[in-house]
C-alpha cells in the first residue's frame, strides 16, 4: 500500500503533494514501483496534528481520487476519520476506507462502508491523534488489541459489514510507546487467528528514530526490517512511503518463505 499524503503537515512528506497533479503523479510512480493499493489521505494524523474541516479534506482528496480512479486498476483507499469524506471518496472511485479512528463510538462510518460493500481497514488507536501519545497505558498491549479487534468485528457485523470486508491493523505508533510497538510487532502472528488480512504501517515512524537514532528521512532500513518481519509472520499489507524498496524487501522475504523446508 503506497501512501499519497495530500496534506501540508504530514510528518515526513507534508506539503509535497498538495497539488492534485503532483499527488496523482506520485501515485502513478508508486504503482509503477509495485504498489497494489494507493492510500490517499487529506488529514494528517501525526501526534498533536490539528484536525481539518470536512470541506477542506474533500477539496484535497477528491480531485486526486477522481483522476486516479479514471486511469488506474489498483484499488484506491481513502485514509479518513470522517464518514462524509469516506462516502464522497467511495462515490468518486475509492474502494477501501482506511479508518484510523475505528475506535469510534457511533456507526455512521460503518453503515457507509457496509452499503458501499467497500473494504475497511480497522485500525487500533488508544485515544485520538491529539491525545494518543500523552501517556499510552496497557496491562498487555497484544491481548488488548486482540480484544479490540474481536469486539470491533462484532460491532462492524451489527452495522451490516461482513467480516470479509475487513482488514485489521494494530496501529503502530497510535497511542503506543516504543515498547508497546515492539510488543505488537512481536505478537503479530497471534492476530492471524482472526482470519482477516493484516496491515502494518511502520514507514518512517518515530519509534524507529527513538530506538535507533535516525531522523525521519533516514529510517528506511529500520522500516524494512519491520516490514520483512511482518511479512514473515503472516501480514499481507505493508503501508509505506517507500514503495520500490519495500516491494523488493518483501519479494525477497517471500522467496525465502517459499523455499522453507
Ligand atoms: C497508519 C495509517 C497506520 C493505517 C497513518 C504515518 C502516520 N493507517 N495512517 N495504519 N499510519 N491503517 O503515515 O506514519 O499505521 S498516518
Amino acid at each position: 500500500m503506497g501512501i499519497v499524503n495530500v496534506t501540508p503537515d504530514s510528518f515526513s512528506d507534508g506539503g509535497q503533494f498538495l497539488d492534485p497533479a503532483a499527488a496523482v503523479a506520485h501515485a502513478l510512480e508508486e504503482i509503477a514501483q509495485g504498489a497494489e493499493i494507493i492510500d490517499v489521505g487529506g488529514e494528517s494524523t501525526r501526534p498533536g496534528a490539528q484536525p481539518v474541516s470536512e470541506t477542506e479534506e474533500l477539496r484535497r482528496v477528491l480531485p486526486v481520487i477522481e483522476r486516479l480512479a479514471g486511469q488506474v486498476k489498483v484499488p484506491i483507499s481513502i485514509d479518513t476519520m470522517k464518514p462524509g469524506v469516506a462516502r464522497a471518496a467511495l462515490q468518486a472511485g475509492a474502494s477501501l476506507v482506511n479508518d484510523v479512528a475505528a475506535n469510534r463510538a457511533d456507526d455512521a462510518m460503518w453503515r457507509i462502508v457496509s452499503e458501499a460493500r467497500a473494504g475497511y481497514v480497522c485500525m487500533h488507536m488508544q485515544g485520538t491523534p491529539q491525545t494518543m501519545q500523552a501517556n499510552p497505558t496497557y496491562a498487555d498491549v497484544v491481548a488488548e488489541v486482540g480484544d479490540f479487534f474481536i469486539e470491533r468485528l462484532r460491532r462492524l457485523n451489527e452495522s451490516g459489514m461482513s467480516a470479509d470486508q475487513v482488514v485489521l491493523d494494530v496501529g503502530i505508533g497510535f497511542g503506543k510507546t516504543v515498547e508497546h510497538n515492539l510488543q505488537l510487532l512481536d505478537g503479530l502472528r497471534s492476530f492471524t487467528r482472526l482470519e482477516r488480512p493484516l496491515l502494518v504501517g511502520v514507514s518512517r515512524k518515530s519509534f524507529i528514530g527513538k530506538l535507533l537514532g535516525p531522523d525521519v528521512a533516514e529510517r528506511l532500513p529500520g522500516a524494512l526490517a519491520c516490514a520483512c518481519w511482518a511479512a514473515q509472520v503472516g501480514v499481507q499489507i505493508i503501508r509505506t512511503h517507500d514503495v520500490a524498496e519495500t516491494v523488493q524487501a518483501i519479494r525477497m522475504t517471500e522467496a525465502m518463505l517459499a523455499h522453507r523446508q
Side-chain angles (χ1 to χ4, degrees):
M1 173 185 268
I3 300 170
V4 176
N5 280 325
V6 199
T7 54
D9 60 342
S10 286
F11 74 100
S12 76
D13 57 1
Q16 270 187 63
F17 309 113
L18 252 185
D19 167 36
V24 169
H26 185 57
L28 296 178
E29 186 187 356
E30 290 185 333
I31 293 167
Q33 292 175 343
E36 293 174 348
I37 304 173
I38 293 295
D39 190 38
V40 179
E43 177 176 38
S44 173
T45 47
R46 75 188 155 81
Q50 285 310 303
V52 299
S53 71
E54 183 160 325
T55 312
E56 172 61 15
E57 198 177 329
L58 286 168
R59 194 184 68 76
R60 294 177 185 176
V61 298
L62 278 188
V64 178
I65 291 170
E66 281 164 2
R67 291 186 208 188
L68 278 178
Q71 57 180 307
V72 305
K73 291 201 176 68
V74 302
I76 301 165
S77 159
I78 172 67
D79 182 348
T80 189
M81 299 186 274
K82 296 188 183 70
V85 173
R87 181 192 283 113
L90 292 170
Q91 280 165 358
S95 53
L96 183 67
V97 175
N98 177 18
D99 187 9
V100 304
N103 58 347
R104 62 184 62 253
D106 70 281
D107 69 356
M109 176 70 101
W110 305 330
R111 293 193 179 281
I112 288 163
V113 177
S114 300
E115 279 160 26
R117 308 302 302 159
Y120 180 72
V121 178
C122 173
M123 196 200 78
H124 178 273
M125 166 165 62
Q126 189 176 80
T128 68
Q130 286 72 45
T131 63
M132 64 190 182
Q133 290 306 107
N135 183 27
T137 309
Y138 303 85
D140 179 340
V141 68
V142 174
E144 286 171 47
V145 171
D147 290 346
F148 170 80
F149 287 155
I150 290 165
E151 187 269 340
R152 289 289 108 163
L153 284 166
R154 186 181 57 71
R155 292 276 317 264
L156 296 174
N157 185 260
E158 286 167 9
S159 304
M161 218 185 290
S162 93
D164 63 19
Q165 288 172 261
V166 183
V167 172
L168 301 173
D169 179 354
V170 298
I172 294 294
F174 285 83
K176 280 110 187 168
T177 62
V178 172
E179 188 67 23
H180 296 140
N181 291 323
L182 292 172
Q183 287 168 354
L184 283 168
L185 289 165
D186 179 51
L188 280 174
R189 194 190 290 281
S190 71
F191 303 113
T192 61
R193 76 181 187 280
L194 299 171
E195 301 189 318
R196 301 308 318 138
L198 301 176
L199 184 156
V200 164
V202 290
S203 189
R204 305 183 186 172
K205 282 192 177 170
S206 69
F207 80 107
I208 299 171
K210 285 182 187 147
L211 198 63
L212 304 173
D215 70 32
V216 65
E218 286 159 4
R219 294 175 187 160
L220 179 59
L224 292 178
C226 299
C228 295
W229 171 278
Q232 205 252 327
V233 298
V235 170
Q236 291 86 348
I237 305 172
I238 304 293
R239 184 178 178 277
T240 181
H241 301 86
D242 301 292
V243 172
E245 294 85 350
T246 304
V247 168
Q248 184 181 107
I250 297 297
R251 295 289 174 255
M252 194 68 218
T253 305
E254 288 171 341
M256 292 184 281
L257 288 172
H259 288 78
R260 199 147 59 175
Q261 297 289 320

Short mmCIF file of all heavy atoms in Angstrom, two decimals, residues 104-151:
data_model
loop_
_atom_site.label_atom_id
_atom_site.label_comp_id
_atom_site.label_asym_id
_atom_site.label_seq_id
_atom_site.Cartn_x
_atom_site.Cartn_y
_atom_site.Cartn_z
N ARG A 104 -14.00 4.47 17.19
CA ARG A 104 -15.14 5.37 17.30
C ARG A 104 -16.32 4.72 18.01
O ARG A 104 -16.46 3.49 18.03
CB ARG A 104 -15.57 5.83 15.90
CG ARG A 104 -16.03 4.66 15.04
CD ARG A 104 -16.38 5.01 13.59
NE ARG A 104 -15.29 5.55 12.80
CZ ARG A 104 -15.19 6.83 12.45
NH1 ARG A 104 -16.11 7.69 12.82
NH2 ARG A 104 -14.18 7.23 11.75
N ALA A 105 -17.23 5.59 18.53
CA ALA A 105 -18.39 5.07 19.25
C ALA A 105 -19.59 4.85 18.33
O ALA A 105 -20.34 3.89 18.49
CB ALA A 105 -18.77 6.03 20.38
N ASP A 106 -19.80 5.76 17.36
CA ASP A 106 -21.03 5.66 16.55
C ASP A 106 -20.76 4.92 15.26
O ASP A 106 -19.62 4.74 14.85
CB ASP A 106 -21.59 7.06 16.26
CG ASP A 106 -20.69 7.79 15.28
OD1 ASP A 106 -19.65 8.32 15.72
OD2 ASP A 106 -21.02 7.81 14.08
N ASP A 107 -21.86 4.50 14.60
CA ASP A 107 -21.68 3.58 13.48
C ASP A 107 -21.91 4.19 12.10
O ASP A 107 -22.04 3.46 11.12
CB ASP A 107 -22.55 2.33 13.69
CG ASP A 107 -24.03 2.64 13.57
OD1 ASP A 107 -24.39 3.83 13.40
OD2 ASP A 107 -24.82 1.68 13.64
N ALA A 108 -21.94 5.54 12.01
CA ALA A 108 -22.19 6.17 10.69
C ALA A 108 -21.17 5.71 9.65
O ALA A 108 -21.52 5.36 8.52
CB ALA A 108 -22.18 7.69 10.84
N MET A 109 -19.90 5.71 10.03
CA MET A 109 -18.84 5.29 9.10
C MET A 109 -19.09 3.86 8.62
O MET A 109 -18.96 3.55 7.43
CB MET A 109 -17.48 5.40 9.80
CG MET A 109 -16.32 4.90 8.98
SD MET A 109 -15.97 5.98 7.59
CE MET A 109 -14.57 6.91 8.19
N TRP A 110 -19.43 2.99 9.55
CA TRP A 110 -19.56 1.57 9.20
C TRP A 110 -20.74 1.32 8.28
O TRP A 110 -20.70 0.47 7.40
CB TRP A 110 -19.65 0.73 10.48
CG TRP A 110 -18.49 1.00 11.39
CD1 TRP A 110 -17.23 1.37 11.02
CD2 TRP A 110 -18.51 0.97 12.81
NE1 TRP A 110 -16.45 1.55 12.13
CE2 TRP A 110 -17.20 1.31 13.24
CE3 TRP A 110 -19.48 0.67 13.77
CZ2 TRP A 110 -16.85 1.38 14.60
CZ3 TRP A 110 -19.14 0.72 15.11
CH2 TRP A 110 -17.83 1.08 15.51
N ARG A 111 -21.82 2.10 8.49
CA ARG A 111 -23.00 1.93 7.61
C ARG A 111 -22.65 2.34 6.18
O ARG A 111 -23.07 1.69 5.21
CB ARG A 111 -24.19 2.75 8.14
CG ARG A 111 -24.69 2.20 9.45
CD ARG A 111 -26.04 2.75 9.86
NE ARG A 111 -26.44 2.12 11.11
CZ ARG A 111 -26.95 0.90 11.19
NH1 ARG A 111 -27.16 0.19 10.09
NH2 ARG A 111 -27.25 0.38 12.37
N ILE A 112 -21.89 3.40 6.06
CA ILE A 112 -21.49 3.86 4.71
C ILE A 112 -20.64 2.79 4.02
O ILE A 112 -20.85 2.44 2.86
CB ILE A 112 -20.72 5.19 4.83
CG1 ILE A 112 -21.71 6.30 5.18
CG2 ILE A 112 -19.94 5.51 3.56
CD1 ILE A 112 -21.06 7.57 5.71
N VAL A 113 -19.67 2.23 4.77
CA VAL A 113 -18.80 1.20 4.18
C VAL A 113 -19.62 -0.05 3.85
O VAL A 113 -19.45 -0.66 2.79
CB VAL A 113 -17.64 0.86 5.14
CG1 VAL A 113 -16.78 -0.26 4.57
CG2 VAL A 113 -16.79 2.10 5.41
N SER A 114 -20.54 -0.40 4.74
CA SER A 114 -21.38 -1.59 4.52
C SER A 114 -22.20 -1.43 3.26
O SER A 114 -22.24 -2.32 2.41
CB SER A 114 -22.36 -1.78 5.68
OG SER A 114 -21.68 -1.95 6.87
N GLU A 115 -22.86 -0.26 3.15
CA GLU A 115 -23.74 -0.05 1.99
C GLU A 115 -22.97 -0.04 0.68
O GLU A 115 -23.45 -0.52 -0.33
CB GLU A 115 -24.53 1.26 2.16
CG GLU A 115 -25.74 1.07 3.06
CD GLU A 115 -26.26 2.38 3.65
OE1 GLU A 115 -26.05 3.44 3.02
OE2 GLU A 115 -26.87 2.32 4.74
N ALA A 116 -21.74 0.49 0.72
CA ALA A 116 -20.92 0.53 -0.50
C ALA A 116 -20.27 -0.82 -0.79
O ALA A 116 -19.67 -0.99 -1.85
CB ALA A 116 -19.86 1.61 -0.36
N ARG A 117 -20.38 -1.76 0.14
CA ARG A 117 -19.67 -3.06 0.03
C ARG A 117 -18.18 -2.84 -0.21
O ARG A 117 -17.52 -3.57 -0.96
CB ARG A 117 -20.26 -3.94 -1.10
CG ARG A 117 -21.75 -4.14 -1.06
CD ARG A 117 -22.28 -4.75 0.21
NE ARG A 117 -21.70 -6.07 0.52
CZ ARG A 117 -21.68 -6.61 1.74
NH1 ARG A 117 -22.16 -5.94 2.78
NH2 ARG A 117 -21.16 -7.80 1.95
N ALA A 118 -17.65 -1.83 0.44
CA ALA A 118 -16.24 -1.47 0.27
C ALA A 118 -15.37 -2.24 1.27
O ALA A 118 -15.89 -2.88 2.19
CB ALA A 118 -16.07 0.04 0.46
N GLY A 119 -14.08 -2.17 1.10
CA GLY A 119 -13.16 -2.69 2.09
C GLY A 119 -13.03 -1.71 3.24
O GLY A 119 -13.34 -0.52 3.10
N TYR A 120 -12.57 -2.22 4.39
CA TYR A 120 -12.47 -1.37 5.59
C TYR A 120 -11.24 -1.78 6.39
O TYR A 120 -11.13 -2.93 6.81
CB TYR A 120 -13.73 -1.55 6.44
CG TYR A 120 -13.74 -0.73 7.71
CD1 TYR A 120 -13.92 0.65 7.66
CD2 TYR A 120 -13.55 -1.33 8.95
CE1 TYR A 120 -13.92 1.42 8.81
CE2 TYR A 120 -13.56 -0.57 10.12
CZ TYR A 120 -13.74 0.80 10.04
OH TYR A 120 -13.74 1.56 11.18
N VAL A 121 -10.32 -0.84 6.58
CA VAL A 121 -9.18 -1.09 7.46
C VAL A 121 -9.56 -0.62 8.85
O VAL A 121 -9.79 0.57 9.09
CB VAL A 121 -7.91 -0.35 6.98
CG1 VAL A 121 -6.75 -0.62 7.96
CG2 VAL A 121 -7.53 -0.79 5.57
N CYS A 122 -9.63 -1.57 9.77
CA CYS A 122 -10.00 -1.32 11.16
C CYS A 122 -8.71 -1.22 11.97
O CYS A 122 -8.08 -2.23 12.28
CB CYS A 122 -10.86 -2.48 11.65
SG CYS A 122 -11.24 -2.45 13.41
N MET A 123 -8.29 0.02 12.26
CA MET A 123 -7.00 0.21 12.96
C MET A 123 -7.20 0.50 14.43
O MET A 123 -8.10 1.25 14.81
CB MET A 123 -6.21 1.36 12.31
CG MET A 123 -4.74 1.34 12.72
SD MET A 123 -3.93 2.93 12.46
CE MET A 123 -4.54 3.82 13.89
N HIS A 124 -6.34 -0.07 15.25
CA HIS A 124 -6.38 0.19 16.69
C HIS A 124 -5.66 1.49 17.03
O HIS A 124 -4.53 1.72 16.59
CB HIS A 124 -5.72 -0.95 17.48
CG HIS A 124 -5.72 -0.67 18.96
ND1 HIS A 124 -4.72 0.05 19.58
CD2 HIS A 124 -6.63 -0.96 19.91
CE1 HIS A 124 -5.00 0.18 20.87
NE2 HIS A 124 -6.16 -0.43 21.10
N MET A 125 -6.32 2.31 17.82
CA MET A 125 -5.67 3.52 18.36
C MET A 125 -6.16 3.68 19.79
O MET A 125 -7.35 3.48 20.06
CB MET A 125 -6.05 4.76 17.51
CG MET A 125 -5.72 6.10 18.15
SD MET A 125 -5.78 7.50 16.97
CE MET A 125 -7.49 7.49 16.43
N GLN A 126 -5.26 4.04 20.70
CA GLN A 126 -5.70 4.39 22.05
C GLN A 126 -5.84 5.91 22.10
O GLN A 126 -4.84 6.62 21.94
CB GLN A 126 -4.71 3.90 23.10
CG GLN A 126 -5.23 4.06 24.53
CD GLN A 126 -4.28 3.50 25.58
OE1 GLN A 126 -3.31 4.13 25.96
NE2 GLN A 126 -4.56 2.30 26.04
N GLY A 127 -7.07 6.42 22.27
CA GLY A 127 -7.29 7.86 22.31
C GLY A 127 -7.52 8.45 20.94
O GLY A 127 -8.06 7.79 20.04
N THR A 128 -7.10 9.70 20.75
CA THR A 128 -7.26 10.42 19.49
C THR A 128 -5.87 10.91 19.06
O THR A 128 -4.95 10.95 19.89
CB THR A 128 -8.16 11.66 19.65
OG1 THR A 128 -7.47 12.61 20.48
CG2 THR A 128 -9.49 11.30 20.30
N PRO A 129 -5.72 11.31 17.79
CA PRO A 129 -4.39 11.82 17.38
C PRO A 129 -3.90 12.96 18.27
O PRO A 129 -2.69 13.13 18.45
CB PRO A 129 -4.63 12.28 15.94
CG PRO A 129 -5.72 11.37 15.44
CD PRO A 129 -6.63 11.19 16.63
N GLN A 130 -4.83 13.73 18.85
CA GLN A 130 -4.42 14.86 19.70
C GLN A 130 -3.89 14.39 21.05
O GLN A 130 -3.03 15.02 21.65
CB GLN A 130 -5.61 15.83 19.92
CG GLN A 130 -5.95 16.68 18.70
CD GLN A 130 -6.61 15.88 17.57
OE1 GLN A 130 -7.50 15.07 17.82
NE2 GLN A 130 -6.16 16.06 16.35
N THR A 131 -4.44 13.25 21.55
CA THR A 131 -4.12 12.84 22.93
C THR A 131 -3.29 11.56 23.01
O THR A 131 -2.76 11.23 24.07
CB THR A 131 -5.42 12.55 23.71
OG1 THR A 131 -6.10 11.43 23.08
CG2 THR A 131 -6.35 13.76 23.71
N MET A 132 -3.17 10.85 21.90
CA MET A 132 -2.76 9.43 21.98
C MET A 132 -1.36 9.20 22.54
O MET A 132 -1.11 8.17 23.16
CB MET A 132 -2.88 8.77 20.60
CG MET A 132 -1.95 9.36 19.55
SD MET A 132 -2.37 8.73 17.91
CE MET A 132 -1.11 9.52 16.90
N GLN A 133 -0.45 10.16 22.33
CA GLN A 133 0.92 9.91 22.80
C GLN A 133 1.19 10.51 24.18
O GLN A 133 2.33 10.49 24.67
CB GLN A 133 1.94 10.41 21.78
CG GLN A 133 1.98 9.58 20.47
CD GLN A 133 2.18 8.10 20.69
OE1 GLN A 133 1.26 7.29 20.53
NE2 GLN A 133 3.38 7.70 21.09
N ALA A 134 0.14 11.04 24.84
CA ALA A 134 0.35 11.68 26.15
C ALA A 134 0.83 10.67 27.19
O ALA A 134 1.83 10.89 27.86
CB ALA A 134 -0.93 12.37 26.61
N ASN A 135 0.14 9.55 27.30
CA ASN A 135 0.53 8.55 28.30
C ASN A 135 -0.08 7.20 27.95
O ASN A 135 -0.95 6.69 28.66
CB ASN A 135 0.06 9.01 29.69
CG ASN A 135 0.49 8.05 30.77
OD1 ASN A 135 1.48 7.34 30.64
ND2 ASN A 135 -0.30 7.97 31.84
N PRO A 136 0.37 6.58 26.87
CA PRO A 136 -0.24 5.31 26.47
C PRO A 136 -0.02 4.25 27.56
O PRO A 136 1.09 4.10 28.06
CB PRO A 136 0.53 4.92 25.19
CG PRO A 136 1.31 6.13 24.78
CD PRO A 136 1.50 6.96 26.00
N THR A 137 -1.11 3.57 27.92
CA THR A 137 -1.04 2.62 29.02
C THR A 137 -1.80 1.34 28.68
O THR A 137 -2.95 1.41 28.22
CB THR A 137 -1.69 3.23 30.30
OG1 THR A 137 -1.11 4.52 30.51
CG2 THR A 137 -1.46 2.37 31.52
N TYR A 138 -1.16 0.22 28.89
CA TYR A 138 -1.80 -1.08 28.69
C TYR A 138 -1.26 -2.03 29.75
O TYR A 138 -0.10 -1.93 30.14
CB TYR A 138 -1.41 -1.69 27.32
CG TYR A 138 -1.73 -0.83 26.12
CD1 TYR A 138 -0.84 0.16 25.70
CD2 TYR A 138 -2.89 -1.03 25.39
CE1 TYR A 138 -1.12 0.94 24.59
CE2 TYR A 138 -3.18 -0.26 24.28
CZ TYR A 138 -2.30 0.73 23.88
OH TYR A 138 -2.58 1.50 22.79
N ALA A 139 -2.09 -2.99 30.19
CA ALA A 139 -1.58 -4.08 31.02
C ALA A 139 -0.88 -5.09 30.10
O ALA A 139 0.20 -5.59 30.41
CB ALA A 139 -2.71 -4.75 31.79
N ASP A 140 -1.51 -5.37 28.95
CA ASP A 140 -0.97 -6.34 27.98
C ASP A 140 -1.42 -5.88 26.60
O ASP A 140 -2.57 -6.11 26.21
CB ASP A 140 -1.51 -7.74 28.31
CG ASP A 140 -1.00 -8.78 27.32
OD1 ASP A 140 -0.57 -8.43 26.20
OD2 ASP A 140 -1.05 -9.98 27.68
N VAL A 141 -0.53 -5.16 25.91
CA VAL A 141 -0.97 -4.48 24.69
C VAL A 141 -1.44 -5.47 23.62
O VAL A 141 -2.42 -5.21 22.91
CB VAL A 141 0.13 -3.51 24.17
CG1 VAL A 141 1.35 -4.26 23.66
CG2 VAL A 141 -0.41 -2.58 23.09
N VAL A 142 -0.77 -6.63 23.51
CA VAL A 142 -1.16 -7.59 22.47
C VAL A 142 -2.56 -8.14 22.77
O VAL A 142 -3.42 -8.22 21.88
CB VAL A 142 -0.11 -8.73 22.35
CG1 VAL A 142 -0.57 -9.81 21.38
CG2 VAL A 142 1.23 -8.15 21.90
N ALA A 143 -2.80 -8.48 24.03
CA ALA A 143 -4.12 -9.00 24.41
C ALA A 143 -5.20 -7.94 24.22
O ALA A 143 -6.30 -8.23 23.72
CB ALA A 143 -4.11 -9.48 25.86
N GLU A 144 -4.90 -6.70 24.58
CA GLU A 144 -5.91 -5.64 24.49
C GLU A 144 -6.25 -5.30 23.04
O GLU A 144 -7.41 -5.05 22.70
CB GLU A 144 -5.47 -4.40 25.28
CG GLU A 144 -5.60 -4.64 26.78
CD GLU A 144 -4.99 -3.54 27.65
OE1 GLU A 144 -5.25 -2.36 27.38
OE2 GLU A 144 -4.26 -3.89 28.60
N VAL A 145 -5.23 -5.28 22.18
CA VAL A 145 -5.50 -5.02 20.76
C VAL A 145 -6.30 -6.19 20.17
O VAL A 145 -7.24 -5.99 19.39
CB VAL A 145 -4.20 -4.74 19.99
CG1 VAL A 145 -4.43 -4.69 18.48
CG2 VAL A 145 -3.59 -3.41 20.46
N GLY A 146 -5.98 -7.41 20.58
CA GLY A 146 -6.75 -8.58 20.12
C GLY A 146 -8.21 -8.50 20.56
O GLY A 146 -9.13 -8.76 19.77
N ASP A 147 -8.43 -8.09 21.81
CA ASP A 147 -9.81 -7.94 22.30
C ASP A 147 -10.54 -6.85 21.53
O ASP A 147 -11.73 -6.98 21.22
CB ASP A 147 -9.81 -7.59 23.80
CG ASP A 147 -9.36 -8.75 24.67
OD1 ASP A 147 -9.30 -9.89 24.16
OD2 ASP A 147 -9.05 -8.51 25.86
N PHE A 148 -9.81 -5.76 21.23
CA PHE A 148 -10.40 -4.67 20.45
C PHE A 148 -10.87 -5.19 19.09
O PHE A 148 -11.99 -4.92 18.64
CB PHE A 148 -9.38 -3.55 20.28
CG PHE A 148 -9.78 -2.47 19.31
CD1 PHE A 148 -10.65 -1.46 19.67
CD2 PHE A 148 -9.27 -2.46 18.01
CE1 PHE A 148 -11.02 -0.46 18.77
CE2 PHE A 148 -9.63 -1.46 17.11
CZ PHE A 148 -10.51 -0.47 17.48
N PHE A 149 -10.00 -5.96 18.42
CA PHE A 149 -10.37 -6.49 17.09
C PHE A 149 -11.62 -7.36 17.18
O PHE A 149 -12.53 -7.25 16.35
CB PHE A 149 -9.22 -7.32 16.51
CG PHE A 149 -8.03 -6.52 16.03
CD1 PHE A 149 -6.77 -7.12 15.98
CD2 PHE A 149 -8.15 -5.20 15.62
CE1 PHE A 149 -5.66 -6.42 15.52
CE2 PHE A 149 -7.04 -4.48 15.16
CZ PHE A 149 -5.80 -5.09 15.12
N ILE A 150 -11.68 -8.22 18.20
CA ILE A 150 -12.83 -9.13 18.31
C ILE A 150 -14.11 -8.33 18.56
O ILE A 150 -15.15 -8.56 17.92
CB ILE A 150 -12.58 -10.16 19.45
CG1 ILE A 150 -11.48 -11.12 19.00
CG2 ILE A 150 -13.86 -10.91 19.81
CD1 ILE A 150 -10.89 -11.96 20.12
N GLU A 151 -14.01 -7.34 19.45
CA GLU A 151 -15.19 -6.51 19.76
C GLU A 151 -15.62 -5.69 18.54
O GLU A 151 -16.81 -5.55 18.25
CB GLU A 151 -14.84 -5.63 20.96
CG GLU A 151 -16.00 -4.83 21.54
CD GLU A 151 -16.11 -3.46 20.91
OE1 GLU A 151 -15.12 -2.98 20.32
OE2 GLU A 151 -17.19 -2.87 20.98
#
